Amino acid sequence: MTQTLNDKLNGAVELGLLKKDIPDHITENLASTIALRPYQITALERFLYFVEDFPQKPSSPHLLFHMATGSGKTVLMAALILDLYRRGYRNFLFFVNSSQIIEKTKENFLNPASAKHLFRSQVRIDEKPVEIRAVDTFDATNTEAINIHFTTIQGLHMRMLAPKENAVTIEDFRDYKVVMISDEAHHLNAETKKTLSKGEAEDKASWEGTVSHPAIRAKYHDKILYDYSLKQFREDGYSKDIELRQADLPPTERMMQAMVLSQYRRKVAEAHGLHCKPVILMKSKTI
C-alpha cells in the first residue's frame, strides 16, 4: 500500500522540514483567552507546510484533521479561516450533522459576549479591520469580510436539489472560491459504510454525494493531514483519566449495573460535599 499523506508528513518531520512560525495574523486575532497547545501548533505547521511547500499538492485540496474529542478542533478551524483569509479566500461554508451544533458554533464564531468566542473583539489582518459575518448566500457578500454560511449537511443537500431564492445554490460554487469546512466529518460516511440501512440503500442521491462522494469513496488515505489520537491526547495529560469496566452480562442486566454503579458514585460524591448530576448513555449497535 502506498504511503498515506500523514506518513509522508511524518517523514518530512524527521527531515526537519515542517517547522513553521505561526503567523501573527493567526496568533494576534484568536481570542486572548486562547493559548495554542503544542499539538495544535503541530497541526497548523503541517497545514502551512502543505499549502506552501508540499510538492504533490492538488489544485483543490481535501484535507482531514483526525483529532481526539475535546482537543480543540474548533480553535484550529478558526485559525485556518484566518490564514485562508490572508491567502485570498473570503467565503466559507461550515456544515455539520446537527442543527444544535450549528447554533453553538455560531455563538463561538460570531458572538463576542460568548465565553467561548474564538476571535479578538477586533480582528485585524494586514492592518485592516476584518468583519466576521454569517451570510445566507455568497452573492453580494463583503469582499473584505470573512463570510461564513452555516448549515447542516442535510440542509445543504436539499438546497442543492431544490434551489430557492436567497439561499446557497450550486451556482455559488461555480462563481466563487469557497472553503468547505466540516465538523464531525465522520458523519459524511453514510453511503460508504460496509452495510447500509434500508433507507440509506434506497436513497442513492444522498447528501454525502452532495458534499464530496468521490473523495469519501476513496476514504482518507491521502487526506489525513494530522492524526492526534485519543490515546496520545490522554498520554499528553489533556484528557480526564478514563476507566473502562466490562461485564459479561445480558444487555438488561448490564444497563441495570451501570445505573446502580452511577448512583453509588453519586452518593459517595455527595458524602464528600460534591453534588453532581450523573449521565448514562445507552448505545445501540445500529443507532
Side-chain angles (χ1 to χ4, degrees):
M1 181 179 288
T2 58
Q3 277 190 316
T4 65
L5 175 59
N6 188 58
D7 291 336
K8 293 175 182 177
L9 293 178
N10 287 341
V13 170
E14 294 177 4
L15 296 174
L17 299 177
L18 259 66
K19 293 304 294 181
K20 294 277 188 180
D21 292 328
I22 307 303
D24 292 345
H25 60 261
I26 293 177
T27 56
E28 293 180 0
N29 286 305
L30 291 174
S32 58
T33 55
I34 294 174
L36 291 173
R37 292 173 173 177
Y39 61 83
Q40 292 170 324
I41 292 174
T42 298
L44 288 171
E45 286 177 331
R46 288 185 170 226
F47 174 78
L48 294 170
Y49 172 78
F50 184 88
V51 298
E52 294 172 357
D53 303 317
F54 190 65
Q56 301 165 341
K57 180 181 64 176
S59 58
S60 297
H62 177 188
L63 302 171
L64 175 73
F65 293 90
H66 186 227
M67 299 173 67
T69 297
S71 60
K73 292 186 291 293
T74 309
V75 170
L76 186 59
M77 291 179 206
L80 294 176
I81 287 173
L82 291 167
D83 187 71
L84 288 165
Y85 177 91
R86 181 68 170 69
R87 297 177 191 277
Y89 291 88
R90 298 294 183 266
N91 300 319
F92 298 84
L93 177 71
F94 189 99
F95 57 97
V96 295
N97 190 52
S98 161
S99 57
Q100 289 89 346
I101 296 177
I102 285 289
E103 294 308 313
K104 181 183 74 171
T105 305
K106 279 185 177 180
E107 279 287 294
N108 295 345
F109 274 77
L110 304 172
N111 183 7
S114 169
K116 295 185 177 181
H117 187 56
L118 295 163
F119 301 101
R120 297 286 173 107
S121 56
Q122 178 64 71
V123 171
R124 297 186 68 86
I125 297 178
D126 292 336
E127 303 302 323
K128 296 179 181 178
V130 177
E131 182 186 4
I132 300 173
R133 310 165 66 237
V135 297
D136 294 323
T137 175
F138 294 126
D139 284 331
T141 53
N142 185 337
T143 57
E144 296 304 317
I146 292 172
N147 307 288
I148 308 177
H149 179 70
F150 296 91
T151 183
T152 61
I153 302 165
Q154 298 86 346
L156 174 64
H157 175 62
M158 292 306 299
R159 285 194 285 278
M160 297 299 108
L161 287 182
K164 60 182 181 179
E165 192 174 359
N166 297 322
V168 167
T169 69
I170 195 68
E171 300 301 324
D172 285 295
F173 302 101
R174 293 193 180 110
D175 298 338
Y176 305 101
K177 291 198 305 182
V178 179
V179 177
M180 301 175 72
I181 300 176
S182 175
D183 196 7
E184 306 292 339
H186 56 277
H187 288 297
L188 305 184
N189 292 311
E191 195 169 284
T192 51
K193 292 187 298 186
K194 291 182 179 179
T195 58
L196 302 179
S197 69
K198 181 180 178 181
E200 290 168 343
E202 290 173 351
D203 186 15
K204 291 298 183 182
S206 73
W207 45 260
E208 183 185 334
T210 295
V211 176
S212 58
H213 183 269
I216 293 292
R217 199 185 299 125
K219 290 299 179 180
Y220 304 116
H221 185 75
D222 60 347
K223 311 256 184 318
I224 297 180
L225 194 67
Y226 184 46
D227 195 352
Y228 187 68
S229 66
L230 177 60
K231 178 176 181 288
Q232 189 62 51
F233 185 55
R234 182 171 178 267
E235 288 178 356
D236 288 345
Y238 294 109
S239 172
K240 293 179 180 178
D241 203 12
I242 299 170
E243 292 185 13
L244 297 179
R245 303 189 181 278
Q246 296 178 325
D248 187 16
L249 297 169
T252 302
E253 293 181 31
R254 215 160 46 227
M255 289 188 285
M256 182 62 72
Q257 185 185 72
M259 293 173 65
V260 170
L261 181 59
S262 177
Q263 287 300 303
Y264 171 76
R265 285 173 167 169
R266 180 179 67 84
K267 289 183 179 296
V268 169
E270 289 178 349
H272 290 80
L274 301 173
H275 298 280
C276 56
K277 181 180 179 181
V279 176
I280 301 174
L281 170 66
M282 307 293 185
K283 185 177 180 182
S284 163
K285 286 184 178 180
T286 57
I287 301 176

